[in-house]
Amino acid sequence: MKLENASVSIIGLGLIGGSLALALRDRCGRLVGVDTDQDARHWAVDRAFPAEVTADLKQALSGCDLAILALPVEAILAVLSRLGHDLPSPGSVLDVGSTKRAVVQAMNQLPPDVGAVAGHPFAGKETSGPRDADACLFCGRPFALVPTERTSEEGWDLAEQVVAALGAETWVIDADEHDRRVACTSQLPFVLALSLLAVGDKRAAIDLSFWNAAASGFFDTSRLASSGIPMMRDILHTNRFEVTLALDETVGWLQQFSERLASEDMKWIETQHTHLRQLRQTLAPANPEAGAIHENNDLWPGA
Amino acid sequence: MKLENASVSIIGLGLIGGSLALALRDRCGRLVGVDTDQDARHWAVDRAFPAEVTADLKQALSGCDLAILALPVEAILAVLSRLGHDLPSPGSVLDVGSTKRAVVQAMNQLPPDVGAVAGHPFAGKETSGPRDADACLFCGRPFALVPTERTSEEGWDLAEQVVAALGAETWVIDADEHDRRVACTSQLPFVLALSLLAVGDKRAAIDLSFWNAAASGFFDTSRLASSGIPMMRDILHTNRFEVTLALDETVGWLQQFSERLASEDMKWIETQHTHLRQLRQTLAPANPEAGAIHENNDLWPGA
C-alpha cells in the first residue's frame, strides 16, 4: 500500500506528534490527529491540519491503515494493550517512543492481524508540546526501526514510507542495542544536566547570589533539564536497567577524576582532556547542533 | 589616572587577551600586546592592533601603568613571582584568570609599590586562541574584581575603568567565595562534559556504531569538553579543593538518583525533574546562551 492512499492516524499531538502531523499532512490518503487535550486539538485545527482532529481514539482507529503512537512510552504501552480488546485494531501500528525494549515486548503480545513496527526518530527539542512542532524536525536525522514478532511486510513498508516522507533515514536496529545506546547518549546527559542543577540548587540555598557565576557553559550543560516531564519519566522507567548501568560507570569515572585531581595528577587529567576533546571534535567537527550522523557518514550504517 | 592616558600592556594574546586588545585598543593612552607565540603576534598585527606587539615581556612592562595578565592561571602565577625581581614592576597589575585564590596569594607577595587587583570576566567561548577574539566578548557580562593586600586606589580605579571600557559590570567578590562558586558553575559542568564522552568512548570501543545514537542533547551536554587544555589544567589545579568537593556532591546525588531509579521511585524522580526544570527556566527564561545575569537582574547585585 502506498502511503498516499493510506489512512493514517497520529495518536498524540505533542512536539513529536505535532511535527509528524505537519510533515505528513500532504503525504497520506487521509490523516487523523488524536489528542485528549483540547489545546493540542485547537493547535492542530489552527495550524491547518487538513483532516479530522478528534479526542475519540476508537473513531481514529476504525478503518485505519497505520496508527502512529506519538505518546510518552507508558501511554504507548497502555494503548497497545487495548488494541483488539476495547479498541479496534489498525492494519499496522508504528510507535515513536524513545525506548524500545518495553514497546517491542508489548507489540509481541498484539493480535496476530496487527502489523507492528517499533520506531524512534533521533530528533527533538528540549521543549515539549505542539507549539514548537516543526515539519522539518526529522529531516536528515536517523529514524530507528525495530522489527517485532508482529511486523508484517505491509507494516514495515508503510513505516519505511513514513520515514522517507519525513526526510529521515531508516536505521534498522535491535531493541536491546537501541536501549543500551540511548541510555548513554540521551538519558545520561539528561541526568547529568539535572545533577548540575541539583548541586547548584543546594549551594544557592545557603548563598543567595550563587547563580551570578553561572554563564553559558553552565546553561549548555544543563539544557536537557528542560525536557518534558512525563516523557522523561517514562523513558527512564522503561530503560532503568541500562540507565543505572550508565550512571554507575559515570560515577566510577568521576570518582577517579576526583582522586586524580586531589593527588594533583595533572598529567592524567590533561591526557584525558586531550583525548576526549579530540573525540568530540571528530564526532561533531562543523556543527555540534546537528548531531554526529550527518557529519560523519562512516559511522552511519544507513548512509 | 584616566585609562585614556594610561600605558597598558596585555600579556598573552589568546582568546581573552585578544578580545581585550580589540576592545581596549582605542581606549588607552598606549597599548602594548605581548605574546611569545609568533602566530598570536601576527594575528595582533593583522587585526590592526594599533600599537606595539612584542615578545619581550621586560620591554612591555617598562613604564607600564597597568599590566593585564591574560594567561593560563599557572603562567599568571609565574609572571607575578618575577615582578620586581627579574622583571620591572608595572604601576598596577590586573589578572583575568579563572580562579582567584592562588592569584590573590601571589599578589599579596608582590613588592609594596605594585598596585594589584585580581579579576575574572565571566565570558568565554569553548574555543581558544586569538582567531576567535571578539571585542564584544565581555559586553553586559559580570567582571569579578577581587581586592588584594596590594590593591592601591589607582590600581582599583584603573581596573574599574577597564571593566567599564569593556562594557562589562564590576562584581566585587572575595577570592574564596569566587572559587567556591566557579567550581560549581564552570569546572563542574566541564568535568561532567568529559565524563559523558569518557563513558561513551568506552562503549564505542566495543560497539563501533555506538555514536550513531548521539544527537543534539549529547552535543550540548558535552560542549565544554572543547575548552582549552592548558587553561583548564591550570584552573582545575588551582581550584582542586573546591572542584573535588563539588564532584563528591555530584557523585552522591547521582548515586541517589541511580538507587531511586533502580527501585522504580518515579515519584521522587518526577519531583526532582519538575523542581530543577523550573529552576533552570527561572535562571535562563529567554535566551539560555546569554547566561543568567542579564536575564534576571534580581540575582545580580551590580544591576
Side-chain angles (χ1 to χ4, degrees), chain B residues 88-165:
Chain B
S89 295
S92 304
V93 63
L94 168 69
D95 85 299
V96 293
S98 302
T99 63
K100 297 274 61 75
R101 202 161 0 191
V103 170
V104 167
Q105 283 165 2
M107 284 182 169
N108 289 345
Q109 307 304 315
L110 284 173
D113 60 320
V114 184
V117 178
H120 178 205
F122 281 78
K125 300 183 182 183
E126 79 273 12
T127 56
S128 52
R131 307 277 150 199
D132 287 322
D134 172 3
C136 284
L137 190 63
F138 312 102
C139 296
R141 301 292 310 152
F143 195 124
L145 290 183
V146 183
T148 73
E149 293 173 17
R150 288 291 174 274
T151 298
S152 62
E153 202 172 319
E154 181 157 291
W156 186 265
D157 188 50
L158 277 173
E160 282 195 326
Q161 289 182 68
V162 165
V163 174

Side-chain angles (χ1 to χ4, degrees), chain A:
Chain A
M1 179 183 277
K2 293 277 179 204
L3 186 61
E4 66 209 54
N5 301 321
S7 173
V8 175
S9 294
I10 298 174
I11 320 295
L13 297 171
L15 173 67
I16 300 293
S19 299
L20 289 169
L22 290 176
L24 297 178
R25 62 182 177 184
D26 301 321
R27 315 293 295 266
C28 309
R30 177 190 174 211
L31 187 60
V32 181
V34 190
D35 208 295
T36 54
D37 181 68
Q38 199 174 40
D39 287 347
R41 290 199 307 278
H42 283 167
W43 166 87
V45 174
D46 288 350
R47 290 284 287 269
F49 196 87
E52 296 115 283
V53 177
T54 176
D56 184 345
L57 197 50
K58 198 172 269 183
Q59 180 197 326
L61 289 167
S62 299
C64 165
D65 297 311
L66 176 66
I68 303 180
L69 305 183
L71 300 164
V73 178
E74 311 257 2
I76 291 171
L77 300 178
V79 170
L80 288 173
S81 72
R82 294 170 60 194
L83 296 182
H85 300 284
D86 69 313
L87 289 174
S89 297
S92 302
V93 64
L94 168 69
D95 86 300
V96 293
S98 302
T99 62
K100 298 275 60 83
R101 203 164 354 194
V103 171
V104 167
Q105 283 165 2
M107 285 181 168
N108 290 345
Q109 306 305 316
L110 284 172
D113 59 318
V114 184
V117 179
H120 178 206
F122 281 79
K125 301 183 179 179
E126 77 274 12
T127 56
S128 53
R131 307 276 149 199
D132 287 323
D134 173 0
C136 284
L137 190 64
F138 312 102
C139 297
R141 301 294 307 153
F143 194 125
L145 290 183
V146 183
T148 72
E149 291 173 17
R150 289 289 175 276
T151 297
S152 62
E153 202 172 318
E154 182 159 288
W156 186 265
D157 188 51
L158 277 172
E160 284 196 323
Q161 288 182 67
V162 165
V163 174
L166 297 173
E169 300 186 51
T170 296
W171 179 19
V172 182
I173 188 171
D174 162 75
D176 286 349
E177 283 290 310
H178 173 276
D179 284 8
R180 204 157 26 240
R181 288 171 194 211
V182 295
C184 247
T185 54
S186 299
Q187 288 99 60
L188 179 56
F190 167 75
V191 181
L192 293 177
L194 289 190
S195 75
L196 180 59
L197 288 160
V199 170
D201 189 38
K202 212 167 137 190
R203 301 283 180 106
I206 49 170
D207 172 5
L208 295 179
S209 62
F210 172 85
W211 291 116
N212 294 352
S216 63
F218 184 89
F219 289 101
D220 282 345
T221 315
S222 63
R223 185 158 297 138
L224 282 184
S226 301
S227 306
I229 293 170
M231 179 188 78
M232 286 313 304
R233 180 199 58 214
D234 288 4
I235 288 172
L236 291 167
H237 189 222
T238 53
N239 207 17
R240 61 190 177 277
F241 178 72
E242 295 293 348
V243 174
T244 53
L245 276 182
L247 282 173
D248 295 348
E249 273 178 53
T250 310
V251 161
W253 191 88
L254 289 172
Q255 284 171 327
Q256 186 181 12
F257 190 97
S258 182
E259 285 159 18
R260 297 280 184 161
L261 181 56
S263 64
E264 299 180 60
D265 186 352
M266 302 318 291
K267 193 72 214 154
W268 183 86
I269 286 171
E270 202 172 340
T271 304
Q272 290 282 317
H273 185 191
T274 304
H275 171 66
L276 297 169
R277 183 176 190 260
Q278 177 61 45
L279 171 65
R280 189 176 181 286
Q281 278 163 0
T282 308
L283 294 171
N287 173 15
E289 300 299 342
I293 289 168
H294 307 278
E295 297 153 352
N296 194 335
N297 283 325
D298 291 346
L299 290 173
W300 169 226

